[in-house]
Amino acid sequence: MPRILVIDDEPGIVRFVTRALENDGHSVVTATSGLDGMGLAVADPPDLVILDLAMPGVEGEAVLNGLIAQNPEQRVLVLSAMADVETRVRCLEHGAIDFLAKPFALRELLARVQCRLSTPSAPIQATLTSGELSLDLRRRELHMGDQVSSLSSREFLLLSHLMRHSGSVCTREDILASVWGYSFDPGTNVVDVYVRRLRMKIPSDVIKTVRNVGYQLQSA
């Protein structure tokens, strides 16, 4: 029985969608916050995540980024009233397999769910490479020549974010949203702490500090 995780802070929508999916033969788990949803997805990855974007605390796009970073094979269907072209394209570029705007027709949602569950997963990128760095996305290992380093969960998410944007400046806000799921700056130095940890495992000049902005992974 396919297992689906619904992440939405609207109780009425959650009940409505859950009942419809269960009647259609699916097992459903729900979460009413982005952090809870990410925790459930990491602990026991579902066959499909149905994700709302407009949630308090952790925004849905940050949740999407976190889900894909934790599990590149995770299938995510975004279900949201924030359906402008820029948002839809951004979600699809960041790894969502589908986007359905609210309000929606229940028959269409069920049809899309069935279609996405029956479609084989596309081949995914198994490694990220930048200069001498090679990041194994499945094993969460960092390779530099013959040297292999294990990474903590946050170190892995931070390095993968920097490597996906190699050569570009990643702002503290972007990093906090992608790695920690914050839609605000908590006023701590947590980003700096984890950058220092990464610099202990890679050549220290690979990650450049951009004063008052963020960090940049040198592309060569």
Side-chain angles (χ1 to χ4, degrees), residues 5 7 31 33-45 63 67 70:
L5 170 60
I7 307 175
S33 76
L35 286 176
D36 289 343
M38 284 193 288
L40 290 171
V42 170
D44 188 6
V63 176
L67 291 172
Q70 291 277 3

Side-chain angles (χ1 to χ4, degrees), residues 153-208:
S153 178
R154 296 297 183 188
E155 289 170 347
F156 169 79
L157 290 175
L158 175 57
L159 184 57
S160 64
H161 180 81
L162 293 172
M163 292 181 71
R164 290 181 194 278
H165 300 86
S166 180
S168 301
V169 177
C170 297
T171 67
R172 291 177 56 85
E173 291 76 13
D174 289 340
I175 294 172
L176 285 167
S178 178
V179 179
W180 280 270
Y182 293 140
S183 58
F184 60 94
D185 189 338
T188 70
N189 66 339
V190 64
V191 175
D192 310 298
V193 169
Y194 276 85
V195 167
R196 285 199 296 270
R197 291 184 182 181
L198 285 179
R199 283 173 169 162
M200 295 174 66
K201 298 183 178 183
I202 63 177
S204 59
D205 60 348
V206 171
I207 301 178
K208 175 185 176 183

